[in-house]
């Protein structure tokens, strides 16, 4: 591990290939033992030779060697100067917003993860930060929402759960023309499929609980940036607010990123086949998957993503909520559960689960039907996934 004040600085730069960076980025064999895998440094404090003379770490709320290796790895995957790990994705959002001040204005995508919407409206609005929610697939509508007080553009793409695609490059150019910073929630795509910093974003957010960890066994968040100012501000928030991940979750995430490219290829291939199957069934209504040619954001997704991800949402043809809820009870390979991005396939009902914190009228306003079903497509055998959904659909048809 590093003996410098910046633990990421000593790790050798790997080759350019994503898979090579996934396995080696931000890491080197442990200097004390030669361990190839970064050890779990399960310690809260570190011995000092004299007051202020230490080996790069003083207290694990501020930094920990396992966490530092993960942060270097995440920075490498996003092509960023800095990776900052948090105790959860929403802790990362919280830290970004705590760097704003009362009177600041944030323009956000109107189709957001429910926890993001809750944090914006119920935690930070009462402290005087203003939010405007707009359909960011419309660049002109986004520009119209900007005010003299706007300091942040908050983009989520693909969106959760309607799978809308925002043009990161166009929105970033718009924001920077108005001296506004851009945050992109890249959780659904992962750095393997989408590189927001290359498209002009200032901050990239991840719920690393999802695809980066990949095994539904940890909670962790991350923000990547090229900005020294933002990196310093976010690390200050961790130090001051205690939003740090533990070494075990950092280790598990680092284990997960090593196979990110392999898993994402399978997630994408399985999701593409399932979306095509659903799209062909007369008892299924609109299928929302950016890999389908008739998806409104298909061309933008082709431009800024290397593949279309493992997330699908759809409604039944008759938009019957009772049938939709019944469908959730008839799958066997798909597990009824919240979250996403693990190796296992999950099915859920956003209106009553992940997006229940968004008022019904707001959900309807953006097109989030009460009968919408969301799939997180895992890496199982595709024939089993097709068969499971087909059987469940046939039972409720």
């Amino acid at each position: 591990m590093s003996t410098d004040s910046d633990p990421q600085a000593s790790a050798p730069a790997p080759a350019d290939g994503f898979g090579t960076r996934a396995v080696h980025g931000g890491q080197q064999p442990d200097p004390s033992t030669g361990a190839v895998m970064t050890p779990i440094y399960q310690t809260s404090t570190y011995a000092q030779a004299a007051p202020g003379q230490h080996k790069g770490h003083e207290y694990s709320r501020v930094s920990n060697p396992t966490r530092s290796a993960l942060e270097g790895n995440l920075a490498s995957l996003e092509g960023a100067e800095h990776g900052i790990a948090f105790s959860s994705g929403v802790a990362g959002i919280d830290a970004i917003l705590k760097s704003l001040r009362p009177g600041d204005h944030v323009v956000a995508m109107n189709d957001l993860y429910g926890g993001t919407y809750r944090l914006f409206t119920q935690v930070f609005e009462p402290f005087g930060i203003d939010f405007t929610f707009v359909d960011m697939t419309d660049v002109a509508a986004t520009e119209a929402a900007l005010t003299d007080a706007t300091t942040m553009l908050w983009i989520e793409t693909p969106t959760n759960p309607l799978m809308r695609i925002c043009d990161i490059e166009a929105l970033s150019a718009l924001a920077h023309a108005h001296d506004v910073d851009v945050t992109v929630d890249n959780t659904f795509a992962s750095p393997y499929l989408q590189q927001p910093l290359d498209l002009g974003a200032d901050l990239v957010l991840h719920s690393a609980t999802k695809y980066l960890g990949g095994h539904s066994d940890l909670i962790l968040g991350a923000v990547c940036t090229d900005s020294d100012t933002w990196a310093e501000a976010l690390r200050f928030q961790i130090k001051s607010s205690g939003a740090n991940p533990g070494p075990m979750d950092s280790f598990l995430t680092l284990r997960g990123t090593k196979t990110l490219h392999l898993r994402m290829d399978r997630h994408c291939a399985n999701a593409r086949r399932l979306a095509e199957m659903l799209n062909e069934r007369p008892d299924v209504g609109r299928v929302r998957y950016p890999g389908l040619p008739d998806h409104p954001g298909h061309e933008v997704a082709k431009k800024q993503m290397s593949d279309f991800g493992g997330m699908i949402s759809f409604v039944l043809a008759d938009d019957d909520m009772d049938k939709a809820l019944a469908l959730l009870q008839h799958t066997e390979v798909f597990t009824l559960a919240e979250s996403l991005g693990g190796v296992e396939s999950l099915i859920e009902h956003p209106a009553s689960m992940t997006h229940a914190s968004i008022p019904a009228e707001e959900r309807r306003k953006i097109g989030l039907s009460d009968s919408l079903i969301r799939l997180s497509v895992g890496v199982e055998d595709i024939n089993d996934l097709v068969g499971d959904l087909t059987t469940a659909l046939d039972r409720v048809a």
Side-chain angles (χ1 to χ4, degrees), residues 103-329:
D104 284 348
H105 176 239
V106 177
V107 176
M109 180 62 185
N110 64 356
D111 178 22
L112 289 172
Y113 164 56
T116 305
Y117 181 89
R118 178 177 59 236
L119 190 62
F120 285 1
T121 59
Q122 297 184 40
V123 176
F124 283 98
E125 274 192 344
F127 286 109
I129 296 176
D130 298 320
F131 297 88
T132 298
F133 299 94
V134 63
D135 181 1
M136 286 187 172
T137 64
D138 185 338
V139 177
T142 305
E143 183 172 22
L146 298 176
T147 72
D148 291 341
T150 305
T151 57
M152 178 72 68
L153 211 62
W154 195 279
I155 303 170
E156 189 176 293
T157 183
T159 64
N160 182 4
L162 297 178
M163 305 304 299
R164 289 174 174 159
I165 302 296
C166 302
D167 190 328
I168 299 172
E169 188 171 27
L171 290 169
S172 296
L174 167 67
H176 294 156
H178 291 80
D179 198 26
V180 171
D181 284 340
V182 177
T183 297
V184 175
D185 187 333
N186 202 28
T187 298
F188 267 29
S190 87
Y192 182 57
L193 304 183
Q194 186 168 263
Q195 299 269 304
L197 295 180
D198 287 346
L199 298 169
D202 300 287
L203 299 162
V204 180
L205 171 82
H206 286 281
S207 172
T209 308
K210 314 305 193 295
Y211 287 111
L212 292 174
H215 295 78
S216 300
D217 55 5
L218 63 95
I219 300 290
L220 193 136
V223 177
C224 295
T225 183
D226 286 333
S227 167
D228 295 343
T229 301
W230 268 112
E232 183 179 354
L234 295 175
R235 291 192 175 109
F236 174 81
Q237 291 295 340
I238 291 176
K239 177 179 180 178
S240 302
S241 301
N244 57 289
M248 175 60 81
D249 283 343
S250 297
F251 174 85
L252 290 173
T253 307
L254 195 55
R255 180 206 60 183
T257 60
K258 294 181 190 303
T259 59
L260 176 64
H261 52 304
L262 305 176
R263 292 182 285 103
M264 290 308 298
D265 283 341
R266 184 61 172 261
H267 285 300
C268 292
N270 281 355
R272 187 181 306 110
R273 176 68 188 93
L274 281 174
E276 291 168 350
M277 181 274 286
L278 290 168
N279 211 33
E280 293 167 357
R281 288 187 64 106
D283 55 345
V284 173
R286 182 176 179 182
V287 180
R288 298 176 182 269
Y289 182 67
L292 294 173
D294 61 354
H295 186 285
H298 179 68
E299 292 303 318
V300 175
K302 280 174 60 177
K303 179 184 73 170
Q304 67 187 23
M305 299 175 70
S306 60
D307 208 332
F308 302 105
M311 301 299 298
I312 302 170
S313 61
F314 67 96
V315 294
L316 299 179
D318 54 12
D319 203 19
D320 187 312
M321 182 173 175
D322 290 337
K323 284 186 180 179
L325 294 175
L327 175 66
L328 303 176
Q329 305 299 318

Side-chain angles (χ1 to χ4, degrees), residues 39-44 46 60-61 63-68 70-71 85-88 218-221 238 242-254:
I40 303 169
Y41 284 88
Q42 197 70 46
T43 185
S44 61
Y46 306 84
S60 278
R61 172 163 38 81
S63 66
N64 174 284
T66 312
R67 181 171 121 212
S68 296
L70 170 64
E71 291 176 332
F86 293 86
S87 55
S88 68
L218 63 95
I219 300 290
L220 193 136
I238 291 176
N244 57 289
M248 175 60 81
D249 283 343
S250 297
F251 174 85
L252 290 173
T253 307
L254 195 55

Side-chain angles (χ1 to χ4, degrees), residues 211 310-311 334 339-342 344-347 374-378:
Y211 287 111
M311 301 299 298
F334 280 87
S339 198
L340 60 106
E344 72 291 333
S345 291
L346 303 178
I347 188 169
R374 193 190 76 179
L375 305 177
S376 174
V377 182

